[in-house]
Amino acid sequence: MSSIGELRTIALSRKKGGPRLKEKYPDNKAALIFLLPWILGILGLTVGPIIASLYLAFTDYNLLQPPVWSGFENFTKMFADPRFWNSCRVTITYVVVSVPLQLALALALAVLLDKGMKGLPFYRSVFYLPSLLGGSVAVAILWRQVFGKEGLVNSFLGMFGLTDLPGWIGHPDYALGTIIILHVWTFGSPMVIFLAGLRQIPEMYYEAAAIDGAGKVRQFFSITFPLLTPVIFFNLVLQIIFAFQSFTQAYVVSGGTGGPGDSTMFFTLLLYKEAFTELDMGYASAMAWFLVVVIGAFTAFNFWLSKFWVHYDD
């Protein structure tokens, strides 16, 4: 029966004492009441601050005095700031190097675990643990001890006769590399997603390939990788977004300075310093919106590029 016919039947039934329209189509007041805290939270804690930061990006505001409209002055100052461009270079280097290494390690371990081994649930939990701890302050502090002048890395290398080694954290040529290693170490989350994707590949493909004489390497590049490209793409987009927002590791490892020599001055760390050290909220808001545009551009570029290498069932 069409919707118009159904409504006509309900209208006629009302005259005969049948079910009312409200009873047939009850309102959702109860659902709205239960959703109200979430809606208020979204509006007050997410949408509201987003709109406020967009306004503050065009003002001169230091938290102590009312914001004063300054137009595009913050953006002009930002593009003329050498530290801004240095933070962009450091952040992009971090993203371009750490994300592919992390995904490659996660995929390799996922393929290894997918083949089955004794105690698989235990190893899966152990490998996932770094993702839970990698962004914590405690691990970042531990990283300073591991790569310090007298840290575990230098102690281990000293066993092979390597002496007079630098403090990797305190050297401008190596400090960023230690944070990249920390990011690669947190491979657990993409690894679990890769494992879920691998479990969806039908085993009959591998059986047919084995009958045709294809080895393990050929099976990986001809079956596993093409069928896993949607999952790889998903992980790639997520990890790029997360990497651009990295803050805790650089803040703790560098002691909040971005040193040595601004070699670990991530974009988010510079934004934090401008906002809460210099109290230049207008400039920090402009930087935040620039970061939104950059992340959006990288995401859009990845979606455009995906049509050349991501293979779906259709």
Side-chain angles (χ1 to χ4, degrees):
M1 182 184 295
S2 65
S3 58
I4 297 177
E6 187 178 354
L7 291 173
R8 186 182 294 115
T9 302
I10 295 172
L12 290 174
S13 66
R14 287 184 60 185
K15 296 180 179 179
K16 300 177 181 180
R20 295 179 174 273
L21 186 62
K22 270 190 175 182
E23 296 172 355
K24 183 69 176 179
Y25 296 100
D27 57 36
N28 296 315
K29 289 181 180 178
L32 290 175
I33 291 174
F34 281 107
L35 286 173
L36 187 60
W38 180 84
I39 294 173
L40 293 177
I42 285 292
L43 294 177
L45 302 177
T46 303
V47 178
I50 288 175
I51 297 174
S53 69
L54 181 59
Y55 166 71
L56 292 177
F58 297 94
T59 64
D60 183 12
Y61 180 49
N62 60 6
L63 284 180
L64 304 177
Q65 298 172 336
V68 178
W69 184 264
S70 61
F72 289 93
E73 182 179 334
N74 288 321
F75 294 93
T76 303
K77 173 185 175 183
M78 182 171 61
F79 293 133
D81 186 359
R83 298 192 77 189
F84 163 80
W85 290 111
N86 175 73
S87 68
C88 290
R89 178 187 62 80
V90 170
T91 304
I92 291 177
T93 301
Y94 173 78
V95 172
V96 170
V97 176
S98 66
V99 171
L101 290 177
Q102 183 197 52
L103 294 184
L105 179 60
L107 179 56
L109 288 173
V111 171
L112 179 64
L113 294 177
D114 185 58
K115 298 307 177 184
M117 61 173 58
K118 191 174 182 180
L120 178 60
F122 170 76
Y123 287 110
R124 190 184 303 160
S125 301
V126 169
F127 288 144
Y128 184 72
L129 191 60
S131 286
L132 300 177
L133 302 177
S136 66
V137 174
V139 170
I141 294 174
L142 175 64
W143 221 249
R144 296 187 64 178
Q145 302 302 319
V146 170
F147 287 95
K149 179 70 174 177
E150 306 295 333
L152 294 178
V153 172
N154 284 353
S155 298
F156 175 76
L157 294 176
M159 298 170 58
F160 300 93
L162 299 175
T163 58
D164 197 24
L165 295 172
W168 307 97
I169 291 292
H171 197 289
D173 294 336
Y174 308 119
L176 180 60
T178 62
I179 302 179
I180 289 175
I181 294 173
L182 175 57
H183 182 79
V184 174
W185 181 63
T186 59
F187 58 83
S189 179
M191 183 201 70
V192 171
I193 297 175
F194 280 140
L195 267 174
L198 289 170
R199 295 298 171 89
Q200 301 304 313
I201 300 177
E203 190 65 29
M204 62 181 180
Y205 293 158
Y206 298 104
E207 295 173 354
I211 293 174
D212 289 339
K216 296 297 183 182
V217 176
R218 180 62 182 274
Q219 290 179 23
F220 175 81
F221 287 103
S222 298
I223 300 175
T224 305
F225 188 84
L227 294 178
L228 204 63
T229 48
V231 181
I232 296 173
F233 172 67
F234 175 78
N235 268 332
L236 178 66
V237 171
L238 277 186
Q239 294 307 316
I240 286 178
I241 294 174
F242 292 155
F244 268 112
Q245 300 177 33
S246 294
F247 169 79
T248 304
Q249 300 92 327
Y251 180 84
V252 176
V253 168
S254 68
T257 64
D262 281 353
S263 60
T264 59
M265 182 61 74
F266 284 12
F267 191 92
T268 51
L269 181 55
L270 180 61
L271 190 157
Y272 171 84
K273 289 173 68 66
E274 292 293 340
F276 298 104
T277 302
E278 304 297 331
L279 294 182
D280 196 345
M281 288 294 175
Y283 185 51
S285 297
M287 290 184 63
W289 276 97
F290 178 82
L291 181 61
V292 169
V293 172
V294 169
I295 292 177
F298 267 80
T299 304
F301 177 74
N302 279 322
F303 271 92
W304 173 81
L305 199 63
S306 66
K307 64 183 180 180
F308 297 108
W309 65 278
V310 178
H311 307 285
Y312 295 97
D313 289 341
D314 55 354

